[in-house]
């Protein structure tokens, strides 16, 4: 398709104009996008804000996090800063952006740092990007900052290679209409900034270098940021082009279109387009052009088209079926509408007669596609016949159509004979155009052509001399017959094509309207049964089949709604439904799996998995879905799956709210117990010591002191558990000697350890580890207390330290009965206690606290039964936590 010169225009798209009008009514959003912390997003945002303020713009800093960086703080000194609002949260005073103050101040531009930030509970919006939305709705321009790992659609990808799942994300829709400014820094420079302490404080920087800030991670994040910025710019350019009506491809970014045909091997085209789209990180669309020829395709050809479109949809393409006069015109329209830069199309071995009649699509697109890269994939083998059996007979239509056409010609002849004395022979030929047009309009092209030939013969026989013969005496009469035949043929051709296009267009419009109505019905549904009812009703109505929706109940796949209500599912049908449920692939009649079933089952599958199964069946027991309706069924299945996904997510949100409230109440209870018991415990301790002063030989004093000490550790565990849940643990990472830490813990537990032999095997030559000494002390305190309690009276306890090639390990082993098999992981859960073993009778908090602190320190903790008996708990300090010699200087 030739690219028009930039001066040429087409009509602007209404949706683009509405989108532009909506954007102009709001404030302007500019996102400073970076690959990772430390690239300078906040600095770049404040620099631009300060420059605008010097030029006289009304700029305020709504919130900015300097992280103690002197150069960033210097930029804020010349800017007006809106004071933050303080919120009481779990005994702490936390500062958040004062949204109302910014709205009252109403500046021209607000600088809002950390776009993905989660607001403290009690704020108007849970997320800062929602605060920004409110500022934009008020007409205030906003500059903000964002790291690429906080984009919702990229969250899983980032977690796959960084091993860090970011909890604070923003939806991809925030990029709609936003200006993106990429703040880029090569990985080597960012690592140098990290080592120099310009990103994190030194002890955090060394830990970050071994985790998130490795060079491969930073390179991957940088590529993702570059690609996401380019994608946003490309989409914005397309929106602007649609709004202005400028024609042309504007190939600043790649956009791929794959043409789906009825020929074998189309699935190869789809996979080729997918690989091309992945390689270019480009959006792609799969389109089938529906022409009058499509109505004569056999079932196998229609099935190939439907299967290829379904494959493209599962691989992430946008799919479309577009009615058009012919394939070339349809593809040109799609290339122009999508501004495609690359086209993937197949080429089969067509006969010379076919290409003479229809032309070569590939040659036409290559010849006229200026600025369009065309990828031609040869189809395997020779072209297959795609017309239905008896295609010529069916193509010519029913014999009754030709009888009606002859009747119309006969009636016209009779009327012309009656009118000939008044109108003369010279105008009779025009009357014969009427039945030709009527026949072509009612019955299509071929009956119209038949009527045109019959009209020419009737005109010759009844009105040209010599009459009642097919002989033509005068040369001008020959010309009249030829012109009549030609005009009638052209007229019938145009009328027939118009009728076919109208029929295709009406069917497409009806299907689109039905899908839109179906989507609205599903949007109004608030529970699974209502959604299943709407799905069954609409599928049965549109496809003329029986239908059933099955879902999980009590651990089994059971029918939820069926149409008709008395529809039966046999054991074979149930097996096919369960196959679709477990495998996520269609099964049953008309598929390649369990074809003995009377039903065809389709999984309602989303990113969350298979949420339900839709079954369809025909009354005659045959294939329930015609190949030309497979695309419609695929759209219905997709919409039903999305509706079930919405309900599932709503249920999860409600469950999450209940769990959050339960956790809040539990934390409040534990905090209350932990703090309220400290005062009486202090009094009890003082009383015991007073008794000891007066009666030092009292036999119960050691027991009382031991139990008070155990109760104090229990209360400390309660308080620390609450701190863990509230995220109140702050790390002070320093090089620590494990020998000293273990000795200090043993000294703290000297009373409970009386009678126990401590087998101390921690070499003095072990390297130092970089941890928070207080938290490590608490971990070992709980592990030793656990060994004392469950290791048997006076049982020996082993404390063993070792250096391995990639870690330092520290093991605490008791000589009790050991762990119950299968509880090696669950033993660390909060309030978890073993059953039928020695792990019982405690609070269930000590090991949970140990694991919580170990996770905070990035220490691996594991429990196992020792081969020689007893339970062993092992702490593994990975190499990144082992202090280097330079850390001690």
């Amino acid at each position: 398709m030739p690219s028009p010169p930039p001066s040429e225009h087409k009509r602007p798209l209404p949706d683009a104009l509405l989108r532009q009008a909506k954007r102009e009514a709001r404030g302007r959003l500019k996102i400073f996008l970076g690959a990772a912390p430390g690239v300078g997003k906040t600095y770049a945002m404040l620099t631009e804000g300060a420059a605008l303020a010097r030029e006289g713009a009304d700029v305020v800093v709504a919130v900015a996090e300097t992280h103690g960086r002197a150069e960033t703080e210097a930029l804020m000194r010349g800017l007006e800063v809106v004071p933050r609002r303080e919120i009481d949260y779990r005994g702490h005073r936390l500062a958040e952006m004062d949204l109302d103050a910014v709205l009252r101040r109403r500046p021209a531009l607000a600088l809002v740092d950390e776009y993905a930030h989660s607001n403290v509970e009690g704020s108007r919006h849970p997320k800062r990007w929602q605060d920004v939305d409110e500022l934009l709705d008020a007409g205030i321009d906003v500059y903000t900052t964002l790291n690429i790992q906080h984009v919702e659609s990229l969250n899983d990808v980032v977690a796959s290679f960084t091993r860090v799942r970011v909890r604070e994300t923003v939806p991809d829709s925030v990029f709609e209409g936003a200006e993106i400014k990429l703040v880029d820094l090569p990985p080597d420079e960012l690592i140098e900034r990290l080592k120099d302490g310009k990103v994190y404080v030194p002890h955090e920087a060394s830990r970050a270098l071994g985790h998130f800030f490795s060079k491969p991670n930073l390179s991957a994040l940088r590529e993702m940021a570059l690609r996401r910025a380019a994608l946003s710019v490309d989409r914005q350019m397309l929106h602007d082009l649609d709004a202005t009506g400028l024609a042309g491809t504007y190939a600043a970014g790649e956009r791929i279109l794959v043409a789906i045909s009825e020929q074998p091997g189309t699935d190869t085209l789809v996979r080729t387009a997918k690989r091309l789209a992945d390689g270019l990180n480009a959006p792609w669309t799969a389109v089938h052009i529906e022409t009058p020829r499509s109505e004569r395709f056999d079932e196998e050809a229609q099935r190939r088209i439907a299967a290829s479109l379904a494959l493209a949809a599962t691989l992430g393409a946008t799919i479309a079926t577009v009615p058009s006069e012919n394939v070339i015109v349809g593809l040109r329209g799609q290339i122009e509408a999508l501004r495609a830069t690359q086209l993937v199309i197949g080429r089969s071995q067509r006969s010379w007669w076919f290409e003479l009649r229809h032309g070569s699509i590939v040659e036409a697109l290559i010849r006229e596609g200026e600025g369009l890269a065309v990828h031609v994939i040869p189809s395997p083998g020779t072209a297959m016949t795609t017309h239905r059996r008896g295609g010529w007979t069916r193509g010519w239509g029913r014999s009754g159509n030709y009888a009606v056409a002859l009747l119309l010609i006969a009636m016209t002849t009779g009327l012309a004979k009656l009118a000939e004395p008044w109108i003369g022979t010279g105008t009779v030929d025009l009357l014969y155009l009427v039945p030709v047009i009527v026949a072509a309009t009612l019955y299509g092209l071929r009956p119209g052509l038949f009527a045109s030939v019959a009209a020419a013969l009737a005109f010759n026989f009844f009105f040209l001399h010599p009459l009642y013969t097919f002989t033509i005496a005068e040369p001008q009469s020959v010309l009249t017959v030829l012109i009549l035949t030609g005009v009638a043929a052209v007229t019938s051709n145009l009328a027939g094509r118009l009728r076919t296009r109208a029929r295709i267009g009406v069917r497409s419009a009806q299907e689109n309207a039905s899908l839109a109505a179906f989507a609205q019905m599903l949007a109004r549904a608030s529970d699974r049964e209502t959604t299943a009812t709407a799905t069954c009703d609409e599928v049965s109505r549109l496809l003329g089949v029986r239908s059933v929706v099955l879902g999980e109940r009590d651990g089994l796949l059971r029918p939820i709604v069926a149409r008709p209500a008395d529809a039966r599912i046999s054991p074979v049908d149930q097996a096919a439904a369960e196959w679709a449920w477990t495998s996520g692939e269609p099964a049953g009649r008309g598929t390649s799996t369990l074809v003995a079933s009377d039903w065809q089952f389709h999984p309602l599958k989303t990113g969350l998995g298979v949420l339900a199964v839709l079954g369809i069946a025909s009354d005659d027991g045959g294939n329930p879905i015609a190949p030309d309706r497979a695309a419609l069924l695929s759209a219905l299945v997709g919409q039903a799956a999305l509706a079930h996904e919405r309900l599932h997510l709503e249920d999860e949100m409600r469950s999450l709210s209940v769990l959050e409230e339960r956790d809040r109440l539990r934390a409040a209870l534990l905090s209350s117990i932990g703090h309220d018991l400290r005062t009486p415990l202090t009094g009890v301790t003082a009383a015991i010591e007073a008794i000891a002063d007066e009666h030092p030989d009292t036999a119960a004093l050691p027991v009382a002191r031991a139990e008070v000490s155990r109760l104090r550790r229990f209360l400390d565990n309660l308080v620390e558990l609450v701190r863990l849940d509230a995220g109140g643990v702050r790390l002070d990472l320093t090089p620590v000697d494990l020998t000293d830490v273990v000795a200090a813990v043993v000294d703290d537990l000297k009373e409970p350890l009386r009678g126990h032999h401590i087998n101390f095997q921690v070499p003095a030559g072990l390297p130092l580890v970089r941890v928070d000494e207080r938290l490590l002390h608490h971990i070992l305190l709980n592990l030793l207390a656990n060994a004392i309690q469950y290791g048997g009276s006076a049982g020996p306890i082993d404390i063993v330290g070792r250096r391995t090639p990639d870690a330092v390990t520290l093991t605490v082993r008791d000589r009790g009965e050991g762990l119950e098999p299968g509880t090696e992981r669950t033993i660390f859960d909060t309030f978890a206690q073993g059953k039928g073993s020695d792990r019982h009778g405690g609070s269930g908090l000590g090991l949970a606290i140990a694991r919580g602190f170990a996770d905070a320190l990035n220490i691996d903790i594991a429990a196992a039964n020792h081969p020689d008996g007893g339970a062993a708990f092992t702490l593994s300090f990975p190499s990144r936590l082992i202090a280097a010699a330079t850390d001690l200087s």
Side-chain angles (χ1 to χ4, degrees):
M1 183 186 69
S3 297
S7 59
E8 293 187 14
H9 284 71
K10 61 179 182 178
R11 187 175 65 177
L13 297 180
D15 288 344
L17 292 175
L18 288 174
R19 190 186 305 115
Q20 188 179 55
K22 181 180 178 181
R23 190 166 65 237
E24 290 176 353
R26 305 177 78 223
R28 184 168 58 93
L29 176 64
K30 185 172 184 177
I31 300 175
F32 291 79
L33 182 67
V39 298
K41 302 178 301 299
T42 304
Y43 186 87
M45 178 186 72
L46 292 174
T47 299
E48 286 202 17
L52 291 173
R54 287 193 297 270
E55 295 173 2
D58 184 13
V59 181
V60 302
V61 178
V63 59
E65 303 293 346
T66 63
H67 300 289
R69 301 165 190 158
E71 63 273 17
T72 307
E73 292 176 351
L75 287 172
M76 293 182 60
R77 295 192 187 107
L79 295 171
E80 178 185 349
V81 179
V82 177
R84 300 194 197 184
R85 181 170 65 98
E86 292 191 349
I87 302 175
D88 288 322
Y89 181 71
R90 297 183 180 181
H92 298 279
R93 299 284 290 175
L94 301 178
E96 289 286 2
M97 181 179 75
D98 194 337
L99 178 60
D100 290 324
V102 178
L103 290 171
R104 286 193 300 269
R105 171 63 177 76
R106 198 173 181 80
L109 173 64
L111 308 182
V112 182
D113 206 3
E114 296 187 357
Y115 194 32
H117 171 77
S118 295
N119 292 329
V120 175
E121 184 178 329
S123 301
R124 183 184 307 173
H125 302 296
K127 299 291 185 178
R128 184 168 289 169
W129 65 265
Q130 295 170 316
D131 293 340
V132 170
D133 256 4
E134 188 168 343
L135 293 176
L136 295 172
D137 288 337
I140 300 173
D141 292 344
V142 175
Y143 285 4
T144 189
T145 62
L146 181 71
N147 286 326
I148 192 64
Q149 66 264 28
H150 294 288
V151 180
E152 178 62 42
S153 63
L154 302 177
N155 187 256
D156 290 343
V157 180
V158 173
S160 68
F161 61 83
T162 63
R163 302 294 187 270
V164 177
R165 182 171 291 277
V166 177
R167 301 299 179 188
E168 296 179 325
T169 60
V170 299
D172 289 58
S173 58
V174 301
F175 290 96
E176 185 73 24
E179 179 184 349
I180 307 298
K181 179 166 184 177
L182 185 67
V183 183
D184 188 34
L185 198 65
D188 290 334
E189 292 186 26
L190 181 55
I191 290 173
E192 286 300 320
R193 283 175 52 83
L194 193 69
K195 290 179 179 179
D196 293 342
K198 296 180 179 179
V199 180
Y200 294 124
V201 292
H203 68 270
E204 291 180 347
S206 60
R207 177 186 170 198
L209 282 170
H211 291 74
F212 190 86
F213 282 83
S214 66
K215 187 172 181 179
N217 285 356
L218 293 178
S219 297
L221 290 169
R222 187 188 187 200
E223 180 180 357
M224 292 172 67
L226 291 168
R227 290 183 180 274
R228 191 61 183 81
L231 178 62
S232 296
V233 172
D234 186 65
R235 287 179 178 173
Q236 185 61 51
M237 179 196 69
L238 292 179
H239 292 162
D240 293 340
L241 289 173
D242 290 340
T244 57
L246 284 173
T249 301
Y250 287 83
E254 300 295 342
R255 295 173 288 277
I256 300 168
L257 180 69
V258 55
I260 304 298
S261 73
E262 78 285 0
Q263 293 297 319
T266 309
D267 56 339
T268 303
L269 299 183
V270 172
R271 293 187 175 92
T272 300
K274 168 63 175 173
R275 291 193 296 270
L276 186 61
D278 287 345
L280 298 174
N281 196 33
W284 63 297
T285 301
V287 62
H288 170 63
I289 306 300
E290 190 175 29
T291 65
R293 278 187 61 247
S294 303
E295 294 191 339
R296 303 197 299 274
F297 289 165
D298 59 21
E299 290 189 359
E300 183 61 29
Q302 292 177 352
R303 188 176 292 111
R304 283 195 294 268
I305 293 171
S308 297
L309 289 174
L311 175 63
T314 59
L315 294 178
T318 302
I319 64 174
T321 299
V322 179
S324 178
E325 178 181 350
N326 58 61
V327 174
I328 296 177
V329 172
L331 280 179
R332 285 174 180 166
Q334 286 300 294
I335 293 169
E336 181 181 356
L338 300 174
R339 301 182 188 270
T341 61
Q342 305 210 28
L343 173 68
V344 179
I345 190 170
R347 179 167 190 169
S348 59
Q349 299 300 320
R350 301 285 194 180
S351 66
W352 67 270
W353 173 241
F354 182 92
E355 293 199 359
L356 180 64
R357 289 181 296 146
H358 301 283
S360 173
I361 300 171
V362 174
E363 293 296 335
L365 291 172
I366 292 176
R367 183 172 57 253
E368 302 174 4
E370 183 181 345
L372 177 70
V374 181
H375 302 263
V376 182
I377 311 298
S379 297
T382 58
M384 296 181 63
T385 301
T386 57
H387 296 104
R388 298 184 180 95
R389 292 183 179 180
W392 282 100
T393 303
R394 295 192 183 187
W396 283 101
R398 296 178 296 181
S399 59
N401 298 343
Y402 297 92
V404 173
L406 282 176
L407 179 61
L408 292 173
I409 297 298
M411 292 173 60
T412 303
T413 301
L415 291 175
K417 273 295 184 183
L418 293 175
E420 186 179 12
W422 291 279
I423 63 175
T425 305
T427 56
V428 169
D429 55 346
L430 298 178
L431 296 179
Y432 280 103
L433 293 178
V434 176
V436 171
I437 294 173
V438 172
T441 303
L442 292 178
Y443 306 120
L445 174 60
R446 290 178 178 177
L449 291 174
F450 173 79
S452 68
V453 174
L457 293 175
F459 178 66
N460 177 19
F461 190 81
F462 291 103
F463 296 99
L464 293 182
H465 294 281
L467 297 177
Y468 312 118
T469 68
F470 291 106
T471 302
I472 302 176
E474 300 178 358
Q476 61 268 30
S477 298
V478 176
L479 182 60
T480 301
V481 171
L482 292 177
I483 292 176
L484 173 62
T485 305
V487 170
V490 171
T491 304
S492 62
N493 184 21
L494 293 176
R497 289 167 61 181
L498 182 61
R499 176 178 177 272
T500 302
R501 293 176 63 184
R503 185 169 61 251
I504 294 174
V506 168
R507 189 180 71 181
S508 177
Q510 288 175 342
E511 290 182 356
N512 291 335
S514 298
L515 289 173
F518 182 48
Q520 291 179 353
M521 283 191 294
L522 293 179
R524 291 193 296 267
S526 58
D527 57 76
R528 282 181 171 79
E529 187 168 349
T530 305
T531 300
T533 301
T535 300
C536 286
D537 290 342
E538 199 68 8
V539 168
S540 296
R541 184 182 69 84
L542 290 177
L543 303 178
V545 295
R546 291 178 289 155
S547 60
V548 62
V549 172
L550 301 95
E552 187 177 15
R553 287 183 177 177
D554 302 325
L556 298 175
L557 188 64
R558 302 179 185 275
I560 301 175
V561 175
R563 289 293 181 269
D566 59 352
R568 298 295 180 185
I569 301 294
S570 69
V572 175
D573 300 329
Q574 183 71 25
E578 291 179 356
W579 170 267
W581 172 264
T582 55
S583 67
E585 299 292 336
R589 178 78 64 179
T591 69
S592 58
T593 305
L594 297 173
V595 295
S597 172
D598 292 332
W599 292 75
Q600 184 182 101
F601 294 98
H602 295 266
L604 303 184
K605 185 178 180 181
T606 69
L608 302 178
V610 179
L611 304 177
V613 174
L614 170 66
I616 57 175
S618 62
D619 293 330
D620 60 5
N623 191 341
I625 185 70
D628 60 342
R629 309 291 278 174
L632 176 60
L633 174 63
S634 177
L636 293 171
V637 168
Q639 290 197 6
L642 291 176
H644 279 79
E645 182 182 46
R646 174 178 61 82
L647 294 175
H648 184 81
L649 292 175
E650 288 177 354
D651 289 343
E652 284 192 345
M653 287 298 297
R654 284 191 289 268
S655 300
L656 183 60
S657 299
V658 172
L659 289 175
E660 287 179 346
E661 180 63 18
R662 186 182 302 167
D663 285 345
R664 188 185 67 80
L665 294 175
R666 180 177 66 97
L669 176 62
L670 293 178
S671 179
S672 176
I673 292 175
H675 288 87
D676 292 348
L677 289 183
R678 283 186 181 276
T679 300
L681 182 62
T682 302
V684 171
T685 303
I688 291 174
E689 295 304 322
I691 294 173
D693 291 340
E694 295 181 6
H695 306 285
D697 298 329
T698 303
L701 281 176
V703 176
R705 283 172 171 162
E707 292 303 313
V708 166
S709 177
R710 190 159 75 95
L711 182 58
R712 181 176 288 108
R713 286 198 302 274
F714 172 73
L715 294 179
D716 289 342
N717 281 338
L718 284 177
V719 173
E720 296 299 343
L721 179 64
V722 173
R723 292 181 64 209
L724 274 176
D725 287 343
V729 176
R730 297 291 183 268
L731 301 182
D732 181 18
L733 302 179
T734 55
V736 172
D737 189 332
L738 291 179
T739 305
D740 295 340
V741 175
V742 174
V745 173
V746 171
D747 183 68
D748 285 351
L749 293 175
K750 58 186 176 183
E751 288 297 329
L753 284 172
R754 288 186 185 279
H756 292 270
H757 173 68
I758 302 298
N759 183 17
F760 191 82
Q761 300 181 33
V762 181
L766 279 181
L768 305 185
V769 293
R770 184 175 290 280
V771 294
D772 187 306
E773 185 173 0
R774 179 180 60 86
L775 297 189
L776 180 59
H777 183 94
H778 213 100
I779 293 171
L780 293 174
L781 202 66
N782 280 288
L783 294 182
L784 271 177
N786 185 79
I788 294 169
Q789 183 173 356
Y790 303 118
S793 58
I797 297 175
D798 297 338
I799 304 176
V800 182
R802 287 192 177 91
R803 178 70 165 98
T804 66
D806 57 354
V808 171
T809 64
L810 188 64
T811 301
V812 177
R813 175 200 169 195
D814 62 47
R815 302 301 173 88
E817 297 179 11
L819 302 171
E820 180 184 4
T823 64
E824 289 84 353
R825 291 184 178 272
T826 59
I827 197 66
F828 292 106
D829 293 343
T830 305
F831 302 117
Q833 299 174 9
K835 298 179 181 178
S837 72
D838 63 330
R839 308 290 133 184
H840 58 81
S843 66
L845 286 177
L847 295 181
I849 291 293
R851 186 185 66 175
F853 282 147
D855 289 344
L857 292 172
N858 288 307
I859 300 172
D860 295 328
I861 185 169
N865 286 319
H866 196 276
D868 297 331
F873 294 85
T874 302
L875 299 175
S876 296
F877 303 85
S879 56
R880 62 178 178 271
L881 295 182
I882 299 175
T886 55
D887 295 329
L888 306 178
S889 58

